[in-house]
Amino acid sequence: TLDVSGNCVLPPPPPPPSNILFEEHFDGFGDYSIPTGGQTKDNKMKNIWGIANVMHDTGGYFLRLETPYNGDGHGISALFLTNQSFSDCKVSYKVRNVRFTWTNPLNYHGPWFMQRYTDVTHHYYEYLQRDGDIEVGKKDNLPTDTYLERQLFVGPQPHFVVPILGQWYTYEWTMKNNTDGTISIKIAGNDGTGMRDIYSYIDKDETATKGQYYHLPTQQIHSGRLGPYAEDCVADFRDIVVTAL
């Protein structure tokens, strides 16, 4: 366009999308370590437990989350969460597994991602297993249930792709509260050829077929924090973006 003097003027940049609720690209502060209990320098996320370092390569900045190694057979994890809680939203993120810490890793070892995390007994998770299946699960203890490892599968566990160490994978995970108390869950992923719809399920009351722990989702998982989790591995995460539905 031209101004009143006939000079060429570039148009202003478009405004950022208004539906972005949160984004963390781990950039702007250089490389640094985040001790257990510490936060990113932009104060958006916190290292709950584990070894965490903000690093960069030719592709840009990322979070390297590492589980301390105490020997094969000793279950160790790492957890890194937003300070902000979210309800209905879509979260996208990129993740790669750098290496396993066990000499003989198990099928569930690798990078996970948490959603609606309230505490250790109220949250959802998803991850790509070593055999290529996507596992989606949760913990949603009732007040009378004090068993910490009441880990439940949510819906089918479909095959996606056998993961390759060092390769980035992109995921989009949508969760929405329904008026009847159920929660809709959808996951799409990029296997290197483009985004694929992987998973779609409604978390509902299934006590009649699966038992008393498959009850209607409680209020404690209707919203919560989100972020990376790792099981006995060293994994990188980048470009965590949360958008409103």
Side-chain angles (χ1 to χ4, degrees), residues 188-242:
N190 189 325
D191 61 355
T193 63
M195 294 300 290
R196 286 173 44 194
D197 291 332
I198 308 169
Y199 179 97
S200 180
Y201 195 74
I202 296 178
D203 187 13
K204 54 189 179 295
D205 184 352
E206 298 180 280
T207 55
T209 57
K210 292 185 177 180
Q212 62 178 313
Y213 302 111
Y214 286 85
H215 47 73
L216 194 68
T218 67
Q219 285 295 320
Q220 286 174 281
I221 53 173
H222 277 220
S223 67
R225 294 179 290 170
L226 56 83
Y229 175 83
E231 280 276 356
D232 300 287
C233 71
V234 178
D236 297 338
F237 297 83
R238 74 188 327 155
D239 299 333
I240 300 172
V241 179
V242 183

Side-chain angles (χ1 to χ4, degrees), residues 49-51 66-79 101-102 108-110 112 229-234:
W49 65 76
I51 302 169
E66 181 175 349
T67 57
Y69 179 67
N70 287 354
D72 283 17
H74 298 273
I76 300 293
S77 65
L79 180 62
T101 54
W102 282 25
Y108 62 84
H109 289 170
W112 298 27
Y229 175 83
E231 280 276 356
D232 300 287
C233 71
V234 178

Side-chain angles (χ1 to χ4, degrees), residues 59-126:
Y61 280 87
F62 55 87
L63 170 76
R64 176 157 291 179
L65 192 60
E66 181 175 349
T67 57
Y69 179 67
N70 287 354
D72 283 17
H74 298 273
I76 300 293
S77 65
L79 180 62
F80 203 89
L81 296 174
T82 59
N83 290 322
Q84 184 178 348
S85 291
F86 302 92
S87 184
D88 293 359
C89 69
K90 177 174 72 175
V91 54
S92 63
Y93 46 94
K94 293 181 173 66
V95 57
R96 67 181 173 188
N97 191 2
V98 178
R99 63 178 173 84
F100 296 103
T101 54
W102 282 25
T103 307
N104 298 297
L106 303 176
N107 197 38
Y108 62 84
H109 289 170
W112 298 27
F113 202 88
M114 297 287 191
Q115 267 227 66
R116 301 189 174 201
Y117 188 100
T118 301
D119 55 38
V120 293
T121 57
H122 297 92
H123 57 261
Y124 286 90
Y125 68 85
E126 73 85 15

Side-chain angles (χ1 to χ4, degrees), residues 3-185:
D3 62 16
V4 293
S5 301
N7 298 314
C8 182
V9 178
L10 293 175
S18 59
N19 64 337
I20 293 180
L21 302 175
F22 173 92
E23 54 185 329
E24 175 62 273
H25 302 285
F26 301 105
D27 57 357
F29 299 91
D31 296 359
Y32 61 98
S33 296
I34 306 173
T36 298
Q39 300 191 75
T40 52
K41 290 190 175 181
D42 57 14
N43 298 315
K44 292 181 179 180
M45 302 189 74
K46 184 176 182 178
N47 183 13
I48 308 302
W49 65 76
I51 302 169
N53 290 281
V54 171
M55 307 170 63
H56 75 280
D57 59 14
T58 56
Y61 280 87
F62 55 87
L63 170 76
R64 176 157 291 179
L65 192 60
E66 181 175 349
T67 57
Y69 179 67
N70 287 354
D72 283 17
H74 298 273
I76 300 293
S77 65
L79 180 62
F80 203 89
L81 296 174
T82 59
N83 290 322
Q84 184 178 348
S85 291
F86 302 92
S87 184
D88 293 359
C89 69
K90 177 174 72 175
V91 54
S92 63
Y93 46 94
K94 293 181 173 66
V95 57
R96 67 181 173 188
N97 191 2
V98 178
R99 63 178 173 84
F100 296 103
T101 54
W102 282 25
T103 307
N104 298 297
L106 303 176
N107 197 38
Y108 62 84
H109 289 170
W112 298 27
F113 202 88
M114 297 287 191
Q115 267 227 66
R116 301 189 174 201
Y117 188 100
T118 301
D119 55 38
V120 293
T121 57
H122 297 92
H123 57 261
Y124 286 90
Y125 68 85
E126 73 85 15
Y127 72 99
L128 180 59
Q129 297 180 349
R130 293 189 66 219
D131 62 9
D133 291 350
I134 286 278
E135 180 178 312
V136 182
K138 68 174 181 179
K139 293 184 181 180
D140 191 22
N141 285 16
L142 296 171
T144 55
D145 185 11
T146 58
Y147 182 56
L148 290 179
E149 295 305 318
R150 190 76 66 196
Q151 189 168 312
L152 309 172
F153 295 145
V154 181
Q157 313 297 314
H159 187 80
F160 178 43
V161 62
V162 176
I164 299 171
L165 288 178
Q167 179 169 316
W168 286 101
Y169 296 91
T170 302
Y171 294 95
E172 294 179 348
W173 185 1
T174 300
M175 298 190 72
K176 185 178 187 300
N177 296 327
N178 300 313
T179 55
D180 62 358
T182 65
I183 298 176
S184 297
I185 308 169

